[in-house]
Amino acid sequence: MKKPYERLMEYCRVNTMSDETVETSPTTKVQFDLANLLLKELEELGVSNLQLDETCVLYGEIPATPGQEKAPAIGFIAHLDTVPDFPGEEVKPLVHENYDGEDIKLPLCDRVISVSDFPHLKEMKGKTVITASGDTVLGSDDKAGVAEIVCLCERLLTGDIPHGKVCIAFTPDEEVGLGTSNFDIPRFGADFAYTLDGGRAGEVVYENFNAASAVFTVEGVNVHPGSAKNIMVNASLVAMEINSMLPACETPAHTEGYEGFYHLISMEGSVDKATLTYIVRDHDGSKLDHRVDTLRHIEKIMQEKYGDKVNLKIRMGYRNMAEKVKTRMEIVEAALRATEKAGLIPSTDPIRGGTDGANLTAEGLPCPNLGTGSYGFHGPYEHSVAEDMELCVDMMEGILKEFCV
């Protein structure tokens, strides 16, 4: 029986980068490479009712064991893709056995996963830590979750473990906010579900950011600088003016906990044209709406100054799942009990991000998020802890037992 970290290392070698500039489903065809690999593995394990649809959503289920047919159908979901803004091709995962608790130097560059930046590493001394080699993501977001779900399937299908119906799904394009765009909740068949897309093993998260994205576009007027007076409109300088209107202390680098932010994720510009792309986040829905209103007000001010050369496009994203999950707290409480029984310290700290579960919850499928024993997402510092990944599988098994009749 393969261990979760062994599956993680296999899956990480498959490029599944999504693309935020593409509107097809999936945004990249390479995501089918991992989906087809999983389809074959799950078929061999004996998972039932498998379907990989044309949008790269993979569904499957394991029927209830005898006597547990009346237990609720429980779903587990993870996403296939990795972030588009850091390389995810030719990943070379490394195993650091009996980790010494010190800084981890990555061999293909000068990068270091330092204990000062990641203090939890002190607690991982003696364990097995998985990293990339320094020039790519590892892909543990969310291939750690994928690996843990597949390992759960193998346990259930080879062991004597009572459980109700288990529904599994793997989605594309979560990292670009499109993971549930084509998710068929009735086809999935679960009464409620959990995403495996979190950090520290023991996380049971049911609060997340409300989200929006914003893109300012600026059209400039480019003439020879020697005769530009009262004619030239430098689009890059206008873009800088726009960003200066936002509160400097409300960025990810200056906020924590329930504090929201404006995050400038890219800026491109010349005299002719400039674009500013932001993600906007807040746990409080009314505060997110206020942030969006602030952006619209900036657009109004800039249009009064520069006319129709400045335009703003807003896209509202996922909402805080807490509003609906709080009416079904028994699924959170069961996960917390399973966490303790697995020997983990439970945590319900709000996530400063979002998951497929936020959108699914809004659509009527309650879906808290579970930790995967992984850290440092979205860059070269990603790392997973093999022993904690195993405990995450124990926790999922424990959740199933909590709902046995």
Side-chain angles (χ1 to χ4, degrees):
M1 186 178 294
K2 289 183 181 178
K3 295 183 179 296
Y5 86 89
E6 293 171 330
R7 292 190 184 277
L8 168 65
M9 293 177 67
E10 291 179 11
Y11 303 157
C12 284
R13 292 186 175 96
V14 182
N15 173 30
T16 58
M17 292 174 65
S18 49
D19 186 342
E20 60 193 353
T21 68
V22 176
E23 296 183 359
T24 59
S25 295
T27 60
T28 56
K29 295 297 183 183
V30 293
Q31 295 177 72
F32 274 110
D33 295 342
L34 181 56
N36 280 305
L37 185 156
L38 292 169
L39 178 62
K40 182 178 179 182
E41 286 191 4
L42 295 169
E43 285 176 339
E44 292 172 352
L45 289 175
V47 175
S48 305
N49 204 15
L50 286 163
Q51 178 189 352
L52 176 58
D53 72 16
E54 68 278 4
T55 67
C56 201
V57 182
L58 174 59
Y59 304 93
E61 63 185 51
I62 299 174
T65 54
Q68 297 300 324
E69 292 84 357
K70 294 183 179 181
I74 301 175
F76 296 103
I77 302 166
H79 66 86
L80 303 166
D81 64 315
T82 61
V83 288
D85 49 1
F86 202 85
E89 299 175 298
E90 298 184 10
V91 174
K92 303 174 185 66
L94 300 175
V95 179
H96 306 264
E97 293 183 342
N98 194 25
Y99 166 59
D100 62 8
E102 302 296 328
D103 292 354
I104 301 174
K105 295 181 179 179
L106 302 176
L108 295 186
C109 62
D110 294 329
R111 294 188 174 102
V112 174
I113 304 178
S114 67
V115 175
S116 61
D117 289 338
F118 301 98
H120 64 267
L121 285 171
K122 296 176 183 177
E123 304 168 15
M124 305 306 166
K125 186 175 181 178
K127 295 186 177 181
T128 299
V129 178
I130 315 302
T131 72
S133 298
D135 56 351
T136 67
V137 297
L138 173 61
S140 51
D141 180 12
D142 185 29
K143 291 169 184 175
V146 173
E148 288 159 6
I149 292 173
V150 175
C151 285
L152 174 69
C153 291
E154 186 172 17
R155 276 196 199 182
L156 298 179
L157 291 164
T158 59
D160 185 18
I161 302 169
H163 60 82
K165 179 183 174 182
V166 178
C167 307
I168 64 168
F170 302 107
T171 60
D173 294 327
E174 190 271 351
E175 297 292 3
V176 294
L178 301 174
T180 62
S181 297
N182 299 284
F183 195 93
D184 188 336
I185 292 177
R187 164 65 185 85
F188 185 49
D191 295 309
F192 55 86
Y194 302 88
T195 48
L196 271 290
D197 192 17
R200 186 181 67 82
E203 285 182 350
V204 181
V205 177
Y206 63 95
E207 296 181 88
N208 62 278
F209 274 142
N210 296 286
S213 63
V215 179
F216 281 98
T217 57
V218 182
E219 298 293 335
V221 177
N222 191 2
V223 296
H224 191 286
S227 56
K229 185 172 175 132
N230 297 326
I231 300 173
M232 177 182 285
V233 177
N234 189 320
S236 291
L237 292 178
V238 175
M240 293 166 64
E241 187 178 351
I242 290 170
N243 191 67
S244 72
M245 293 181 174
L246 292 171
C249 61
E250 294 184 17
T251 71
H254 298 92
T255 54
E256 61 184 354
Y258 287 97
E259 298 167 341
F261 56 72
Y262 304 90
H263 180 29
L264 177 62
I265 59 173
S266 71
M267 184 171 81
E268 298 178 6
S270 63
V271 175
D272 286 321
K273 185 174 182 179
T275 60
L276 296 161
T277 303
Y278 295 87
I279 61 173
V280 190
R281 301 289 187 264
D282 211 297
H283 280 93
D284 185 316
S286 63
K287 290 182 179 179
L288 179 77
D289 294 339
H290 176 71
R291 292 182 184 281
V292 170
D293 288 343
T294 297
L295 292 168
R296 295 193 194 282
H297 185 59
I298 292 173
E299 179 192 33
K300 177 176 178 290
I301 292 171
M302 299 304 284
Q303 286 183 344
E304 289 171 351
K305 185 173 182 179
Y306 295 105
D308 61 4
K309 290 180 172 60
V310 177
N311 289 282
L312 170 66
K313 183 178 180 181
I314 298 282
R315 187 179 78 177
M316 301 306 292
Y318 48 77
R319 303 296 290 184
N320 190 342
M321 70 175 80
E323 299 172 9
K324 294 190 176 182
V325 173
K326 283 182 177 179
T327 67
R328 295 290 308 275
M329 284 302 289
E330 72 276 9
I331 67 179
V332 174
E333 292 161 0
L336 292 173
R337 290 193 296 271
T339 298
E340 291 180 331
K341 290 176 182 177
L344 293 164
I345 299 173
S347 167
T348 58
D349 293 338
I351 184 174
R352 289 176 59 79
T355 68
D356 280 341
N359 288 326
L360 293 173
T361 298
E363 294 171 17
L365 180 69
C367 197
N369 188 45
L370 306 179
T372 63
S374 303
Y375 307 84
F377 294 152
H378 291 198
Y381 308 105
E382 283 187 334
H383 53 284
S384 296
V385 181
E387 292 83 354
D388 289 4
M389 292 182 68
E390 194 76 39
L391 292 174
C392 291
V393 183
D394 294 343
M395 184 174 71
M396 284 191 286
E397 180 182 327
I399 290 171
L400 295 175
K401 291 177 179 177
E402 286 288 330
F403 288 98
C404 284
V405 296

